[in-house]
Amino acid sequence: MKINEKYMFRCIELARLGMGEVAPNPMVGAVIVHEGKIIGEGFHRQFGGPHAEVNAIASVAAKELLKNATMYVSLEPCVHFGKTPPCSDLIISSHIPRVVVGSVDPFAKVAGKGIEKMRHAGIEVEVGVLEKDCLELNRRFFTFHQQKRPYIILKWAQTLDGYLDVDRSYPELYGKPNWISNELARRIVHRQRTEEAAILIGTNTAMKDNPSLTVREWSGKQPVRLVLDRQNRLPGHLHVKDGQVPTIIFTEQVVSSGTNLEFAQVDFHGDLIAQILKFLYDRELQSVVVEGGQRLLQSFIDQEAWDEAYVYIGHFWFGKGVRAPQFNYQPGESEMLNDTQLQCFYRNI
């Protein structure tokens, strides 16, 4: 591994520590190197807090070394005043002579301006080291700003013979949650929830399974719950209406909102997915996990409105029931979680 790649890889490692805590900002890591030795490190820890570059510079004990050091940063340093001052200004005032950048920031207020400003100040700037990895790290952020929509993740569990659930032909099981995946898979699902901004289900899933859609088997931030309820028929005793987590219910009805419970009026005769994605974009919710039933999942697949999909194949046979979505993609990755297989699909890779 080349020297620049070595330190940029460390930047990416650091940046990942901010997963689930910094959105709608990107995850960023920074490393400061002097004569082959790391003298400072930092990452963006929390939205609204100091950026990676600030934390890295603050961690350097001997500030006089900065004038002969190189800063590595996974994303272009900002140049605008947001919740914190511009990092490019701090780098310039710290007299750091060389900066290595992983990827350019697509955010309109930055978008190459930070690099230009540092070069204008006489700093040597190299761009594009491990660029593909840096872009992948912040794929939610890049998708949000470049495509003006949230990053979309599909998730479902199915049996070995391709069923999501039982139907009315199983009267003893119908109407009850039927676990297909194992406990390890469920913990992974809960971890994933902490990494995303929102989670979406349909009316039937809310009614039949009464899911909490919360993080219980992992530690982290709770996603915003999104529920489709065209006719506002979901009863108040369901978990999605308990007010414990911010929840948005999409409906055709005019309904007054309550504590942690918002009703958003949409046109179910129009392009529902487009309306939901625009709503999430306007709210700066950069990612959404679709965990609904077959019809909801299939609608996203048919419109090719997805970026990643995670399919958990449990060690069960139903023989009949609700079929899993039809999916004409090959898994990019596959992993065995004891008796459950996890298949990962990536539409744009």
Side-chain angles (χ1 to χ4, degrees):
M1 181 180 291
K2 298 178 181 178
I3 293 297
N4 282 352
E5 293 177 349
K6 170 186 172 181
Y7 293 122
M8 189 59 67
F9 183 79
R10 177 57 181 164
C11 289
I12 294 171
E13 283 185 326
L14 290 167
R16 287 198 181 105
L17 297 176
M19 173 70 78
E21 300 295 336
V22 302
N25 284 352
M27 293 174 283
V28 184
V31 171
I32 300 174
V33 179
H34 178 267
E35 295 183 353
K37 179 181 178 181
I38 294 177
I39 60 172
E41 291 186 336
F43 65 97
H44 188 25
R45 295 175 175 270
Q46 192 171 31
F47 176 69
H51 289 186
E53 300 93 324
V54 176
N55 289 329
I57 291 172
S59 74
V60 177
K63 296 292 192 293
E64 66 273 11
L65 298 181
L66 291 174
K67 63 183 180 181
N68 293 308
T70 297
M71 170 176 280
Y72 294 83
V73 59
S74 56
L75 186 68
E76 175 184 3
C78 62
V79 72
H80 65 289
F81 281 88
K83 290 185 176 296
T84 59
C87 291
S88 54
D89 286 355
L90 176 62
I91 293 170
I92 293 169
S93 65
S94 297
H95 305 290
I96 297 174
R98 181 170 180 263
V99 176
V100 179
V101 176
S103 63
V104 175
D105 192 332
F107 186 45
K109 291 183 179 180
V110 184
K113 297 182 181 70
I115 293 169
E116 180 183 354
K117 187 172 188 177
M118 289 187 295
R119 283 175 172 163
H120 185 73
I123 296 174
E124 177 190 346
V125 182
E126 181 174 347
V127 182
V129 175
L130 292 187
E131 182 178 28
K132 182 178 179 181
D133 300 270
C134 292
L135 292 173
E136 192 275 337
L137 170 71
N138 281 307
R139 57 194 182 278
R140 299 163 183 81
F141 179 79
F142 288 113
T143 297
F144 185 81
H145 287 287
Q146 292 173 335
Q147 300 187 35
K148 310 301 181 185
R149 66 164 176 84
Y151 195 82
I152 305 165
I153 298 170
L154 310 181
K155 194 280 293 182
W156 71 85
Q158 68 181 55
T159 61
L160 288 169
D161 53 347
Y163 291 96
L164 289 180
D165 202 353
V166 298
D167 57 20
R168 294 182 185 276
S169 62
Y170 287 95
E172 71 282 6
L173 297 176
Y174 184 75
K176 302 176 182 178
N178 293 293
W179 294 109
I180 294 175
S181 58
N182 59 29
E183 183 178 348
L184 175 58
R186 288 194 289 275
R187 286 202 298 271
I188 292 175
V189 167
H190 281 238
R191 181 194 68 186
Q192 184 181 45
R193 287 178 180 176
T194 69
E195 299 173 353
E196 311 306 337
I199 180 170
L200 172 67
I201 62 169
T203 309
N204 291 336
T205 299
M207 187 78 78
K208 178 181 178 296
D209 295 344
N210 190 20
S212 296
L213 303 182
T214 55
V215 178
R216 302 179 302 281
E217 299 186 33
W218 203 262
S219 176
K221 190 175 181 180
Q222 302 280 358
V224 176
R225 299 185 296 200
L226 309 173
V227 186
L228 301 182
D229 187 12
R230 179 176 182 175
Q231 298 175 345
N232 190 31
R233 63 186 178 91
L234 293 176
H237 70 267
L238 295 181
H239 293 312
V240 293
K241 288 190 171 182
D242 60 16
Q244 297 300 309
V245 177
T247 303
I248 300 167
I249 297 181
F250 296 100
T251 179
E252 283 186 340
Q253 312 298 313
V254 177
V255 186
S256 298
S257 299
T259 303
N260 267 348
L261 183 60
E262 177 183 354
F263 291 86
Q265 194 173 14
V266 293
D267 179 11
F268 278 74
H269 294 288
D271 188 337
L272 184 59
I273 291 177
Q275 292 176 74
I276 292 172
L277 297 183
K278 183 180 185 305
F279 182 94
L280 298 182
Y281 178 78
D282 290 342
R283 291 294 179 90
E284 292 194 334
L285 295 171
Q286 289 187 359
S287 63
V288 58
V289 180
V290 182
E291 285 196 14
Q294 195 274 343
R295 288 178 60 188
L296 182 60
L297 287 162
Q298 192 67 55
S299 66
F300 275 83
I301 292 170
D302 290 345
Q303 290 194 29
E304 294 196 339
W306 63 279
D307 298 287
E308 298 179 11
Y310 295 88
V311 180
Y312 295 83
I313 304 174
H315 198 67
F316 292 93
W317 294 78
F318 282 172
K320 54 185 177 180
V322 180
R323 275 286 183 184
Q326 299 301 303
F327 206 60
N328 295 320
Y329 284 82
Q330 295 299 314
E333 295 177 342
S334 183
E335 179 182 2
M336 289 304 301
L337 308 171
N338 296 329
D339 62 353
T340 296
Q341 183 184 24
L342 169 59
Q343 293 186 345
C344 309
F345 299 82
Y346 308 98
R347 191 168 71 89
N348 294 313
I349 297 179

